[in-house]
Structures are given as C-alpha cells and as structure tokens.
Amino acid sequence: MDTLLLIIIMIVSLAAAFYTHWRLPYHTPNARQLRIARIVLISTGLAFGWIAARVYSMATELNVVLVFITALGLIHVPAAGVLFIKSFRPGE
C-alpha cells in the first residue's frame, strides 16, 4: 500500500516537474536566467532526492529509487504552482 501511494505521488510530482520546465521559457526574460533557474531547480531536486532516499532507506522498506524520484519532483511543485498562477495574468 505504501508503494502504491508513493507511485501516485511520484507521478503527480513528476508532472509538476515537467510542467515547470515546460513553462519556464515563457516567464524568464533571457536564456541565461532560464539556464540558472533550471540549474537551481534540478540541483536542489537532486540534493533533496538524495537526502530523502538516504533517510527513508534507513527508516523504512520503501524503494529508494521511488523515494529519490518523488523527492526530486516535489521540489518542483511550488514552482509549478507559481507558474500556473502566472499563466492567468492578462496579456500572457
């Protein structure tokens, strides 16, 4: 049951990550800022995924790869929310 819930959360968080990277070019003024935003998001996601995988591999029987991918995607959820709200601005 825990693995099924983790897979569902992973799918939602990966959808948020894909949405974030798809919408970023529409909201960043130039290629340099786009590259910086992507590097920050991906590196933060990798760091959070690594930490979460280490912690949960010691504490539970959950699949470490699923935990890593879920944590990597969860970092993108706030950015996806902000970009989703910004897409409703007039003139965009």
Side-chain angles (χ1 to χ4, degrees):
M1 184 64 178
D2 290 337
T3 304
L4 179 63
L5 181 62
L6 184 60
I7 289 171
I8 292 169
I9 295 170
M10 180 188 70
I11 291 169
V12 171
S13 68
L14 283 180
F18 286 121
Y19 178 80
T20 299
H21 288 280
W22 174 60
R23 293 299 298 172
L24 269 175
Y26 300 105
H27 297 286
T28 51
N30 57 43
R32 183 173 187 265
Q33 290 179 352
L34 175 63
R35 191 176 328 114
I36 290 171
R38 285 187 171 159
I39 288 171
V40 167
L41 280 169
I42 292 170
S43 62
T44 306
L46 290 172
F48 184 63
W50 182 73
I51 291 168
R54 298 264 314 185
V55 168
Y56 282 105
S57 69
M58 290 185 262
T60 65
E61 295 294 323
L62 291 174
N63 187 334
V64 177
V65 175
L66 290 178
V67 171
F68 176 82
I69 294 171
T70 303
L72 180 116
L74 282 175
I75 288 297
H76 292 80
V77 171
V82 169
L83 292 174
F84 181 73
I85 291 170
K86 284 180 82 170
S87 70
F88 290 112
R89 286 194 315 196
E92 300 242 350

